[in-house]
Structures are given as structure tokens and as C-alpha cells.
Amino acid sequence: VLVVLLAASPLPAAAQTCNALDGTWTLLPEKGNLGSGLSFNPWYAITGVRLTLRQQERRIEQQWQFSGPHVARSAHYAFTVDGTRQATAVAEPMDFEYVAISALWQNCTLVQTGYSRLFGMEIQTTSTFVIAPDGDELEIIQYGESPISVIDRRLVFRRGP
């Protein structure tokens, strides 16, 4: 009887480990799926991205550095992960930069919605931040729909200097 009871008892599940987002991350374009790219304007094609993330409790800071043949931009976002829409301080944002952000945690996963503008219309892009179990890679899965575009891409970053 004891063997049957032990066999029927659920075993404790392995605990999920949460790797910190903190660090500097470099885009690995060959590992992801950029689709048409990060900018809607081909002149501003982005070929490199460096992302620096800092987290302090519910507050997150992101420093995005975009580079390409005709673009060298930096965007800084600081927001509280509480689900509210928060304006960014990006002056004259380009189509790949956000004018506002909202974010929530789903267990260890940051789910962020970025609001940008294209041809006077607001576009929402949902980004899901997933850290590899070894903590060395960050995958950002992005999706969004608007009357003029569909965004469906996967950005893969390597942690490093």
C-alpha cells in the first residue's frame, strides 16, 4: 500500500530558474529572423544592435544602440514593470523607436509593448524577452499588427562586452 501511495504522490517539480536580464547584449543577426528588418525605411537599414539592460526590482532601463550604413542612433528607455503605459523621452523618434512602453512579468519572462508611430499611425509591438538556461543568449520575440504592417521577428543576442 505504501508503494502505491508513494507512486501516486506528485513529486516536487524542478524549480524554474530566472536568469537576470542585466548586461550588455549584442545582436546575432544570423541566428534570428529579422524579416524585413528593424526599420520600415530601407535607407535606415539596421545591421547592428547593442542592448544594455539594467533591472532594479520593478524598474528596468534599456539602452539600445542601432547601427547601419546610414544610421547611428541610441534610444534610452526607463520604465516600471507594472502594466501601465509610460512615455519615453526619445526626442523625434524614428519608426523603430518607441514613444511609450508598457510591460509586465509573466513568471521570469518580461513581456513589453512598445508604441511607435509610422505615417501618423500608432503601431504596437509586443516583445517577449527569453533568456537561455545558460544565461548567455537573449531571445526577443516581437509581434505586432497595424493597418499598414505586420511585425513578426526573432532577435537573438549574445551576452558580452
Side-chain angles (χ1 to χ4, degrees):
V1 173
L2 182 59
V3 172
V4 172
L5 286 175
L6 288 175
S9 299
L11 295 174
Q16 179 179 11
T17 57
C18 298
N19 290 315
L21 290 173
D22 292 304
T24 300
W25 303 88
T26 303
L27 180 68
L28 302 172
E30 68 282 359
K31 289 192 87 172
N33 174 15
L34 294 174
S36 62
L38 297 173
S39 176
F40 288 101
N41 184 338
W43 177 258
Y44 295 115
I46 295 169
T47 56
V49 178
R50 180 177 295 282
L51 170 61
T52 303
L53 294 167
R54 286 183 207 86
Q55 179 185 349
Q56 187 174 24
E57 296 181 21
R58 292 181 4 168
R59 184 105 174 128
I60 292 183
E61 290 186 38
Q62 299 176 346
Q63 179 74 36
W64 292 81
Q65 295 173 317
F66 303 100
S67 60
H70 303 284
V71 66
R73 299 268 304 184
S74 181
H76 180 263
Y77 309 122
F79 53 92
T80 302
V81 181
D82 63 3
T84 63
R85 181 176 170 144
Q86 301 160 56
T88 66
V90 177
E92 300 181 37
M94 295 185 76
D95 61 4
F96 54 86
E97 297 168 322
Y98 300 135
V99 297
I101 289 177
S102 65
L104 289 170
W105 286 107
Q106 292 182 354
N107 295 322
C108 297
T109 304
L110 177 67
V111 179
Q112 166 186 304
T113 301
Y115 303 87
S116 56
R117 299 211 188 289
L118 183 61
F119 304 118
M121 296 171 38
E122 183 174 87
I123 297 173
Q124 295 180 23
T125 303
T126 301
S127 298
T128 305
F129 290 66
V130 179
I131 304 244
D134 65 7
D136 287 340
E137 282 191 358
L138 166 65
E139 184 175 334
I140 302 176
I141 302 161
Q142 295 185 320
Y143 185 78
E145 288 185 36
S146 76
I148 56 173
S149 72
V150 173
I151 298 164
D152 187 9
R153 61 183 162 234
R154 186 171 62 88
L155 309 174
V156 178
F157 294 81
R158 164 88 47 208
R159 188 188 301 265

